[in-house]
Amino acid sequence: MSSMIQEQEFDKKVDIGIWKKLFRFALTYKKELILTILIMAVVSACDILYPLLSRYAIDNFVTEGSIGGLKYFALVYLAVVLVQGGCVFLFVTLAGKLEAYISYDIRKKAFRKLQELSFSFYDKTTVGYLMARMVSDVSRLSEMIAWSVVDLFWAATNIVGILVILLVLNWKLALIVMVVIPPLALLCIYFQKRILKHQRIVRKTNSRITSSFNEGIMGAMTTKTLVREERNTAEFTELTQEMRGASVKSSVLSYVFMPLVMMLGSVGTALALYFGGSAVLEEGVRLGISIGVISFGTLSAFVSYTTAFFDPIQSLARIFAEFQSAQASAERIISLIDTPCDIVDSDEVIAKYGDSFEPHTENWEELTGKIDFENVSFSYKEGETVLKDFDLNIRAGETIALVGETGAGKSTIVNLICRFYEPTAGRILIDGVDYRERSQLWLQKSLGYVLQQPHLFSGTIKDNIAYAKRDATMEEIEAAARMVHADTFIKKQEKGYYTEVGEGGVRLSTGEKQLISFARVILANPKIFVLDEATSSIDTETEQLIQDAITKVLQNRTSLIVAHRLSTIKNADRILVIRGGKIAEEGTHGELLRQKGYYYNLYTTQFREEASSSILSK
């Protein structure tokens, strides 16, 4: 259950640059964001106003023993409460909308990036790795940006406002209370690194767990047949224990952090009571510190402000801890969005031909299908050369079959032609032009690729056949199905073309899925056909149906067939035997048999095996 790709390691503290990139998503909604901040400023002003109102009431009503003007005071107090209540309601509404908008935009941006990334990215990246980012990480970040950032502004406004009022009320007493701020800062610095370290482990392990879930579900049949349940459970338990351990450590640090902040706040309040109480009692000096004489109302306001002062500090500490935790998610999302594409069109090509999302189809030349390899070398990893100085010329409309042992380079040749990868040296020409001088979409729009393991999307048979041509008519869909003899089994379905195929086509057999994938490619009407072991995983009867279809469909189209069953390529214009990244033999089926080389030995061996299987099956 190991991941195919190594997670990028992060070891920085809170990276302001990453958060700036994420905050750009919030700045898309400037009006809503500014309005939310202004509303929170009003809420903060109301919070700051309450102790002043209490001070006024104590000094003018309680101490004086008078109720003159109390009615008007009550109305003012009620007005402040109503204004604050209305603002809190508006804040909750706007922040909720911001969270939904930001989540939508981040996912849209990340999904667009997934569409742009080259085949090589998916070739080495697990589904779980991506799902964890697109689901849990995005939700976490959108919540942070929408709520915590506004809370951060509220806390900062409260702290500044309260500090100013404390200094105005009695600056000496205010400075005494502020002595707890330096140790509070040291506390934040101490816990920051430790919380972030464990949260990074949690988010990284979460990807691996998601991947394990995906592999466990997709590979359920293999697990059962190989009796791997106990071993898989042990591996999964080990994985979840790693996440549990890191989560516990992170939670403990966070929950220890908050009480320590609260304790320091209580110390500040105690200092205010001790020195402020002496000032009320007109004892002016305590511990050699003179703060003068203050009223009982002022002391009450001072204690209220001191307590209130540490509330936003505690909120800042909580938000800071949340940012520590969310930093890991932020790194992972930004690393996905900033993932460079291995294959990109040049600016000149994009200017003329457009890109995948805004193609300039009016500038696309007609593709005929002539393909040339000129001194092409390629390696997936440095030092592991698959092709070296490889030359090949394919005429437009020619059918080429590639055979050879596993790892010889057959699929590599096909992947290079499709521009899923690009040569590390040399060049590939399509219709006489280096294909890097034209857009990827121009080429791939004219490709029909049928894989060994067909993939269907959730939806109906009709939806899957029309996947590459959404405006196809029902007549065109049915014609494509008839051409590959898929209509035979489709008509037997209760809902015909409107039958649901299930996730990945699970409700259909492998042969039926392959027939639908063939019909899908045929409907797209490509100039270049690629069949990569397309008939190796289906039964003989279905293979014969597909062979009949191939004979019809490949006429006058450039075709490349990677084949395991040599009986399926006897009619190819040329058969290339690939060995060690080189063309070892070349010719028609008959010519290669007469040479009595590698192909002859391979064919005769396979022929005997098939004949023996046929006899035994009778």
Side-chain angles (χ1 to χ4, degrees):
M1 292 189 182
S2 60
S3 176
M4 295 166 62
I5 187 170
Q6 292 296 318
E7 291 246 26
Q8 183 178 352
E9 297 290 344
F10 300 98
D11 55 6
K12 291 183 179 180
K13 299 176 182 178
V14 172
D15 191 334
I16 300 301
I18 284 178
W19 286 104
K20 280 183 179 179
K21 291 180 180 179
L22 283 171
F23 289 149
R24 291 189 191 128
F25 290 100
L27 293 177
T28 305
Y29 305 98
K30 283 184 181 178
K31 291 181 180 178
E32 291 86 350
L33 187 62
I34 291 172
L35 183 57
T36 304
I37 290 174
L38 290 176
I39 288 171
M40 287 307 293
V42 175
V43 172
S44 180
C46 291
D47 286 334
I48 294 171
L49 193 57
Y50 285 129
L52 288 178
L53 291 173
S54 298
R55 178 196 182 204
Y56 180 86
I58 291 171
D59 287 344
N60 290 275
F61 303 132
V62 178
T63 305
E64 298 294 328
S66 170
I67 59 172
L70 181 61
K71 178 174 65 175
Y72 299 105
F73 174 82
L75 289 174
V76 171
Y77 200 95
L78 179 63
V80 173
V81 170
L82 291 174
V83 168
Q84 187 178 42
C87 287
V88 169
F89 173 79
L90 290 173
F91 159 69
V92 171
T93 303
L94 284 170
K97 287 183 177 179
L98 277 173
E99 180 183 356
Y101 294 158
I102 292 168
S103 176
Y104 169 78
D105 286 348
I106 293 176
R107 283 198 174 100
K108 186 170 70 172
K109 179 77 172 178
F111 189 80
R112 182 185 175 104
K113 168 58 71 172
L114 292 176
Q115 304 304 299
E116 293 174 346
L117 287 169
S118 308
F119 176 79
S120 56
F121 175 81
Y122 295 98
D123 208 21
K124 59 187 178 184
T125 309
T126 61
V127 174
Y129 175 90
L130 299 174
M131 289 300 295
R133 281 156 175 71
M134 295 293 285
V135 180
S136 59
D137 286 337
V138 170
S139 296
R140 185 181 182 85
L141 290 175
S142 58
E143 182 179 346
M144 277 290 302
I145 296 171
W147 297 90
S148 296
V149 172
V150 178
D151 284 348
L152 184 67
F153 179 83
W154 168 84
T157 304
N158 259 23
I159 289 172
V160 173
I162 291 172
L163 184 59
V164 169
I165 291 179
L166 286 177
L167 290 170
V168 170
L169 289 176
N170 190 302
W171 67 270
K172 293 180 179 179
L173 186 56
L175 291 178
I176 291 172
V177 173
M178 294 304 110
V179 298
V180 300
I181 291 181
L184 184 61
L186 293 174
L187 197 67
C188 291
I189 293 171
Y190 177 81
F191 277 87
Q192 177 259 345
K193 183 177 181 180
R194 287 157 182 79
I195 293 174
L196 181 55
K197 173 187 175 182
H198 294 298
Q199 275 299 317
R200 280 175 173 150
I201 296 172
V202 169
R203 302 314 303 168
K204 179 179 177 180
T205 311
N206 183 59
S207 278
R208 294 167 61 195
I209 289 174
T210 306
S211 179
S212 293
F213 269 123
N214 179 72
E215 290 178 357
I217 294 168
M218 298 299 291
M221 185 177 294
T222 304
T223 297
K224 294 291 184 183
T225 56
L226 295 178
V227 196
R228 280 272 306 184
E229 292 92 341
E230 183 180 354
R231 181 58 186 164
N232 285 357
T233 302
E235 290 176 356
F236 188 78
T237 300
E238 183 180 345
L239 197 58
T240 51
Q241 284 176 342
E242 181 181 351
M243 183 174 178
R244 182 184 64 182
S247 297
V248 168
K249 290 176 182 177
S250 176
S251 297
V252 168
L253 286 169
S254 295
Y255 291 130
V256 169
F257 184 35
M258 293 305 300
L260 288 174
V261 173
M262 294 172 67
M263 183 186 72
L264 287 174
S266 298
V267 171
T269 303
L271 290 172
L273 282 170
Y274 180 78
F275 288 98
S278 69
V280 170
L281 297 174
E282 301 182 358
E283 294 178 8
V285 180
R286 282 291 173 97
L287 302 179
I289 302 173
S290 175
I291 61 171
V293 178
I294 61 176
S295 69
F296 187 74
T298 300
L299 174 61
S300 175
F302 215 100
V303 172
S304 296
Y305 277 124
T306 302
T307 304
F309 179 75
F310 286 98
D311 281 343
I313 284 184
Q314 289 174 26
S315 293
L316 280 179
R318 172 183 58 79
I319 294 167
F320 189 64
E322 288 177 357
F323 270 101
Q324 302 302 311
S325 300
Q327 170 76 16
S329 294
E331 291 164 341
R332 290 150 57 85
I333 284 293
I334 291 301
S335 70
L336 172 60
I337 292 175
D338 288 348
T339 299
C341 297
D342 292 336
I343 300 174
V344 293
D345 291 327
S346 65
D347 293 338
E348 294 78 11
V349 168
I350 293 174
K352 181 178 179 180
Y353 297 100
D355 58 23
S356 298
F357 302 98
E358 295 181 7
H360 301 162
T361 54
E362 67 277 5
N363 294 331
W364 289 6
E365 293 86 355
E366 182 72 21
L367 191 148
T368 60
K370 184 176 183 294
I371 304 171
D372 298 295
F373 282 66
E374 293 185 351
N375 299 315
V376 169
S377 296
F378 177 78
S379 57
Y380 291 100
K381 296 180 181 179
E382 191 171 345
E384 297 181 10
T385 302
V386 181
L387 299 179
K388 184 172 179 61
D389 299 328
F390 185 83
D391 291 301
L392 175 64
N393 304 109
I394 303 173
R395 299 183 299 275
E398 187 177 17
T399 297
I400 299 292
L402 303 174
V403 299
E405 57 197 15
T406 301
K410 307 184 298 297
S411 293
T412 299
I413 294 170
V414 169
N415 287 335
L416 287 171
I417 289 175
C418 297
R419 207 179 169 192
F420 296 152
Y421 295 89
E422 288 183 341
T424 49
R427 60 179 190 158
I428 295 174
L429 311 179
I430 304 291
D431 294 348
V433 178
D434 189 327
Y435 66 4
R436 284 173 286 204
E437 295 178 14
R438 290 177 176 165
S439 74
Q440 297 177 64
L441 192 62
W442 168 82
L443 171 62
Q444 291 164 2
K445 184 72 174 176
S446 297
L447 283 173
Y449 202 121
V450 183
L451 297 166
Q452 178 181 359
Q453 296 296 331
H455 180 80
L456 299 187
F457 298 89
S458 297
T460 65
I461 291 175
K462 172 182 175 293
D463 293 336
N464 273 277
I465 294 176
Y467 188 78
K469 190 179 180 182
R470 288 301 184 189
D471 59 347
T473 65
M474 197 62 206
E475 289 74 16
E476 290 175 320
I477 293 171
E478 290 175 352
R482 279 195 302 272
M483 186 171 288
V484 297
H485 306 293
D487 61 322
T488 305
F489 87 85
I490 294 174
K491 290 176 180 177
K492 294 178 182 178
Q493 305 295 319
E494 184 178 349
K495 295 183 180 179
Y497 285 88
Y498 296 92
T499 300
E500 293 286 336
V501 302
E503 185 178 359
V506 68
R507 296 180 183 175
L508 302 177
S509 70
T510 302
E512 289 169 342
K513 288 191 288 185
Q514 193 65 288
L515 290 174
I516 290 175
S517 67
F518 263 95
R520 179 169 60 198
V521 171
I522 288 168
L523 185 61
N525 193 29
K527 296 290 186 180
I528 300 175
F529 256 97
V530 177
L531 308 178
D532 193 351
E533 302 277 10
T535 62
S536 63
S537 59
I538 57 179
D539 58 85
T540 306
E541 185 178 348
T542 305
E543 181 187 359
Q544 188 57 53
L545 293 176
I546 291 176
Q547 281 301 121
D548 292 341
I550 289 175
T551 303
K552 299 175 187 175
V553 172
L554 300 190
Q555 290 179 359
N556 301 319
R557 300 176 195 268
T558 304
S559 309
L560 292 106
I561 306 173
V562 178
H564 172 70
R565 294 181 184 173
L566 304 185
S567 58
T568 63
I569 59 170
K570 290 190 291 185
N571 296 324
D573 296 321
R574 266 192 298 164
I575 299 172
L576 307 180
V577 177
I578 309 299
R579 303 192 71 184
K582 300 284 186 180
I583 300 175
E585 298 176 20
E586 179 180 357
T588 64
H589 174 70
E591 290 170 346
L592 291 177
L593 287 181
R594 286 192 290 273
Q595 291 179 20
K596 293 191 175 182
Y598 178 84
Y599 181 83
Y600 172 83
N601 294 329
L602 192 64
Y603 181 78
T604 53
T605 301
Q606 199 173 102
F607 181 79
R608 291 192 199 100
E609 290 174 354
E610 290 178 358
S612 299
S613 298
S614 177
I615 292 170
L616 291 172
S617 64
K618 290 181 180 180

PDB file of all heavy atoms in Angstrom, residues 35 78 85 135 159 173 213 301 313 486 496 501 561 568 578 586:
ATOM      1  N   LEU A  35     -16.432  44.348   3.729  1.00  0.00           N
ATOM      2  CA  LEU A  35     -17.663  44.518   4.502  1.00  0.00           C
ATOM      3  C   LEU A  35     -17.612  43.677   5.778  1.00  0.00           C
ATOM      4  O   LEU A  35     -18.009  44.140   6.859  1.00  0.00           O
ATOM      5  CB  LEU A  35     -18.872  44.118   3.658  1.00  0.00           C
ATOM      6  CG  LEU A  35     -20.252  44.298   4.304  1.00  0.00           C
ATOM      7  CD1 LEU A  35     -20.461  45.747   4.731  1.00  0.00           C
ATOM      8  CD2 LEU A  35     -21.356  43.854   3.343  1.00  0.00           C
ATOM      9  N   LEU A  78     -28.883  49.346  25.412  1.00  0.00           N
ATOM     10  CA  LEU A  78     -29.680  48.456  24.564  1.00  0.00           C
ATOM     11  C   LEU A  78     -29.329  48.643  23.096  1.00  0.00           C
ATOM     12  O   LEU A  78     -29.232  47.663  22.333  1.00  0.00           O
ATOM     13  CB  LEU A  78     -31.170  48.713  24.791  1.00  0.00           C
ATOM     14  CG  LEU A  78     -32.134  47.871  23.938  1.00  0.00           C
ATOM     15  CD1 LEU A  78     -31.973  46.386  24.255  1.00  0.00           C
ATOM     16  CD2 LEU A  78     -33.587  48.316  24.176  1.00  0.00           C
ATOM     17  N   GLY A  85     -25.420  42.649  18.095  1.00  0.00           N
ATOM     18  CA  GLY A  85     -26.113  41.420  17.709  1.00  0.00           C
ATOM     19  C   GLY A  85     -26.366  41.360  16.211  1.00  0.00           C
ATOM     20  O   GLY A  85     -26.162  40.314  15.568  1.00  0.00           O
ATOM     21  N   VAL A 135      -9.959  17.490  -1.117  1.00  0.00           N
ATOM     22  CA  VAL A 135     -11.098  17.420  -0.199  1.00  0.00           C
ATOM     23  C   VAL A 135     -10.738  18.017   1.162  1.00  0.00           C
ATOM     24  O   VAL A 135     -11.123  19.136   1.486  1.00  0.00           O
ATOM     25  CB  VAL A 135     -11.592  15.963  -0.051  1.00  0.00           C
ATOM     26  CG1 VAL A 135     -12.779  15.904   0.901  1.00  0.00           C
ATOM     27  CG2 VAL A 135     -11.984  15.397  -1.409  1.00  0.00           C
ATOM     28  N   ILE A 159      -7.269  44.404  20.737  1.00  0.00           N
ATOM     29  CA  ILE A 159      -6.040  44.590  21.516  1.00  0.00           C
ATOM     30  C   ILE A 159      -5.568  46.042  21.448  1.00  0.00           C
ATOM     31  O   ILE A 159      -5.253  46.664  22.479  1.00  0.00           O
ATOM     32  CB  ILE A 159      -4.941  43.640  21.012  1.00  0.00           C
ATOM     33  CG1 ILE A 159      -5.273  42.192  21.399  1.00  0.00           C
ATOM     34  CG2 ILE A 159      -3.570  44.021  21.577  1.00  0.00           C
ATOM     35  CD1 ILE A 159      -4.366  41.157  20.782  1.00  0.00           C
ATOM     36  N   LEU A 173      -0.592  51.875  35.532  1.00  0.00           N
ATOM     37  CA  LEU A 173      -1.211  50.571  35.792  1.00  0.00           C
ATOM     38  C   LEU A 173      -1.243  49.721  34.517  1.00  0.00           C
ATOM     39  O   LEU A 173      -1.065  48.503  34.561  1.00  0.00           O
ATOM     40  CB  LEU A 173      -2.632  50.774  36.330  1.00  0.00           C
ATOM     41  CG  LEU A 173      -3.380  49.510  36.797  1.00  0.00           C
ATOM     42  CD1 LEU A 173      -2.570  48.767  37.848  1.00  0.00           C
ATOM     43  CD2 LEU A 173      -4.756  49.872  37.337  1.00  0.00           C
ATOM     44  N   PHE A 213      -7.192   3.594   1.400  1.00  0.00           N
ATOM     45  CA  PHE A 213      -8.625   3.369   1.237  1.00  0.00           C
ATOM     46  C   PHE A 213      -8.956   3.108  -0.227  1.00  0.00           C
ATOM     47  O   PHE A 213      -9.682   2.171  -0.576  1.00  0.00           O
ATOM     48  CB  PHE A 213      -9.417   4.587   1.726  1.00  0.00           C
ATOM     49  CG  PHE A 213      -9.807   4.511   3.168  1.00  0.00           C
ATOM     50  CD1 PHE A 213      -9.422   5.497   4.052  1.00  0.00           C
ATOM     51  CD2 PHE A 213     -10.574   3.459   3.645  1.00  0.00           C
ATOM     52  CE1 PHE A 213      -9.781   5.433   5.394  1.00  0.00           C
ATOM     53  CE2 PHE A 213     -10.937   3.380   4.976  1.00  0.00           C
ATOM     54  CZ  PHE A 213     -10.539   4.371   5.856  1.00  0.00           C
ATOM     55  N   ALA A 301     -13.652  49.154  35.327  1.00  0.00           N
ATOM     56  CA  ALA A 301     -13.402  49.189  33.882  1.00  0.00           C
ATOM     57  C   ALA A 301     -12.022  48.617  33.580  1.00  0.00           C
ATOM     58  O   ALA A 301     -11.835  47.876  32.599  1.00  0.00           O
ATOM     59  CB  ALA A 301     -13.513  50.621  33.359  1.00  0.00           C
ATOM     60  N   ILE A 313      -6.066  38.147  23.010  1.00  0.00           N
ATOM     61  CA  ILE A 313      -4.723  37.550  22.961  1.00  0.00           C
ATOM     62  C   ILE A 313      -4.849  36.031  22.910  1.00  0.00           C
ATOM     63  O   ILE A 313      -4.129  35.345  22.174  1.00  0.00           O
ATOM     64  CB  ILE A 313      -3.884  38.001  24.171  1.00  0.00           C
ATOM     65  CG1 ILE A 313      -3.423  39.442  23.958  1.00  0.00           C
ATOM     66  CG2 ILE A 313      -2.666  37.093  24.349  1.00  0.00           C
ATOM     67  CD1 ILE A 313      -2.507  39.974  25.025  1.00  0.00           C
ATOM     68  N   ALA A 486     -20.839  -3.254 -30.671  1.00  0.00           N
ATOM     69  CA  ALA A 486     -21.247  -3.050 -29.274  1.00  0.00           C
ATOM     70  C   ALA A 486     -22.762  -3.001 -29.144  1.00  0.00           C
ATOM     71  O   ALA A 486     -23.304  -3.236 -28.064  1.00  0.00           O
ATOM     72  CB  ALA A 486     -20.644  -1.759 -28.727  1.00  0.00           C
ATOM     73  N   GLY A 496     -31.075  -0.071 -22.536  1.00  0.00           N
ATOM     74  CA  GLY A 496     -30.323   0.164 -23.756  1.00  0.00           C
ATOM     75  C   GLY A 496     -29.168   1.126 -23.544  1.00  0.00           C
ATOM     76  O   GLY A 496     -28.343   0.941 -22.641  1.00  0.00           O
ATOM     77  N   VAL A 501     -23.524   2.555 -16.166  1.00  0.00           N
ATOM     78  CA  VAL A 501     -22.379   1.635 -16.194  1.00  0.00           C
ATOM     79  C   VAL A 501     -21.742   1.462 -14.819  1.00  0.00           C
ATOM     80  O   VAL A 501     -20.959   0.540 -14.607  1.00  0.00           O
ATOM     81  CB  VAL A 501     -21.309   2.108 -17.202  1.00  0.00           C
ATOM     82  CG1 VAL A 501     -21.894   2.224 -18.595  1.00  0.00           C
ATOM     83  CG2 VAL A 501     -20.676   3.434 -16.762  1.00  0.00           C
ATOM     84  N   ILE A 561      -0.208  -0.255 -33.246  1.00  0.00           N
ATOM     85  CA  ILE A 561      -0.773  -1.326 -32.444  1.00  0.00           C
ATOM     86  C   ILE A 561       0.340  -1.963 -31.627  1.00  0.00           C
ATOM     87  O   ILE A 561       1.284  -2.529 -32.180  1.00  0.00           O
ATOM     88  CB  ILE A 561      -1.446  -2.395 -33.330  1.00  0.00           C
ATOM     89  CG1 ILE A 561      -2.482  -1.765 -34.255  1.00  0.00           C
ATOM     90  CG2 ILE A 561      -2.073  -3.482 -32.469  1.00  0.00           C
ATOM     91  CD1 ILE A 561      -3.074  -2.734 -35.276  1.00  0.00           C
ATOM     92  N   THR A 568      -3.304 -11.018 -33.820  1.00  0.00           N
ATOM     93  CA  THR A 568      -4.135  -9.824 -34.070  1.00  0.00           C
ATOM     94  C   THR A 568      -3.454  -8.821 -34.987  1.00  0.00           C
ATOM     95  O   THR A 568      -4.079  -7.835 -35.371  1.00  0.00           O
ATOM     96  CB  THR A 568      -4.476  -9.132 -32.741  1.00  0.00           C
ATOM     97  OG1 THR A 568      -3.269  -8.669 -32.121  1.00  0.00           O
ATOM     98  CG2 THR A 568      -5.199 -10.077 -31.791  1.00  0.00           C
ATOM     99  N   ILE A 578      10.768  -4.661 -31.419  1.00  0.00           N
ATOM    100  CA  ILE A 578      11.561  -3.735 -30.608  1.00  0.00           C
ATOM    101  C   ILE A 578      12.294  -4.529 -29.531  1.00  0.00           C
ATOM    102  O   ILE A 578      11.690  -5.258 -28.746  1.00  0.00           O
ATOM    103  CB  ILE A 578      10.655  -2.666 -29.943  1.00  0.00           C
ATOM    104  CG1 ILE A 578       9.755  -1.994 -30.986  1.00  0.00           C
ATOM    105  CG2 ILE A 578      11.505  -1.640 -29.210  1.00  0.00           C
ATOM    106  CD1 ILE A 578      10.497  -1.261 -32.071  1.00  0.00           C
ATOM    107  N   GLU A 586      12.026  -5.918 -38.947  1.00  0.00           N
ATOM    108  CA  GLU A 586      10.991  -5.088 -39.553  1.00  0.00           C
ATOM    109  C   GLU A 586      10.476  -5.742 -40.820  1.00  0.00           C
ATOM    110  O   GLU A 586      11.259  -6.297 -41.609  1.00  0.00           O
ATOM    111  CB  GLU A 586      11.570  -3.697 -39.865  1.00  0.00           C
ATOM    112  CG  GLU A 586      10.599  -2.742 -40.513  1.00  0.00           C
ATOM    113  CD  GLU A 586      11.236  -1.381 -40.788  1.00  0.00           C
ATOM    114  OE1 GLU A 586      12.428  -1.181 -40.407  1.00  0.00           O
ATOM    115  OE2 GLU A 586      10.564  -0.533 -41.386  1.00  0.00           O
TER     116      GLU A 586
END
